[in-house]
Amino acid sequence: MYNTSDIGIAAYLQLKGFKLKECKRLETGKFYFSFDDPNGDCSPSALEFLDSDLCKFDNIVRNLKKILFS
């Protein structure tokens, strides 16, 4: 299993075809996503996301939300 609280990484893993097993919001307010990862491929894909244009897009959306809600 591969777990993350980052919605951008979770969306990217789904885009890459990884099977989402669990998705919830914890009592702390953090997100929790769990992916089936029998071959250990999720971690390299999550790192791949960090160098992608999709990550840049995700960060821009987050920054725009901060501006709107501040």
Side-chain angles (χ1 to χ4, degrees), residues 5-65:
S5 62
D6 188 291
I7 196 168
I9 291 174
Y12 186 74
L13 291 175
Q14 279 199 288
L15 181 69
K16 298 285 280 183
F18 291 97
K19 177 87 170 151
L20 181 64
K21 289 294 192 178
E22 189 174 3
C23 174
K24 63 184 177 181
R25 194 164 189 175
L26 302 175
E27 289 181 17
T28 61
K30 288 183 83 173
F31 299 130
Y32 176 83
F33 304 96
S34 184
F35 289 86
D36 194 19
D37 190 19
N39 300 320
D41 295 328
C42 282
S43 188
S45 291
L47 292 175
E48 178 183 290
F49 168 74
L50 297 176
D51 289 328
S52 73
D53 284 340
L54 294 171
C55 183
K56 292 175 192 169
F57 174 80
D58 183 52
N59 286 328
I60 291 168
V61 169
R62 288 176 198 231
N63 288 332
L64 289 171
K65 283 183 178 179

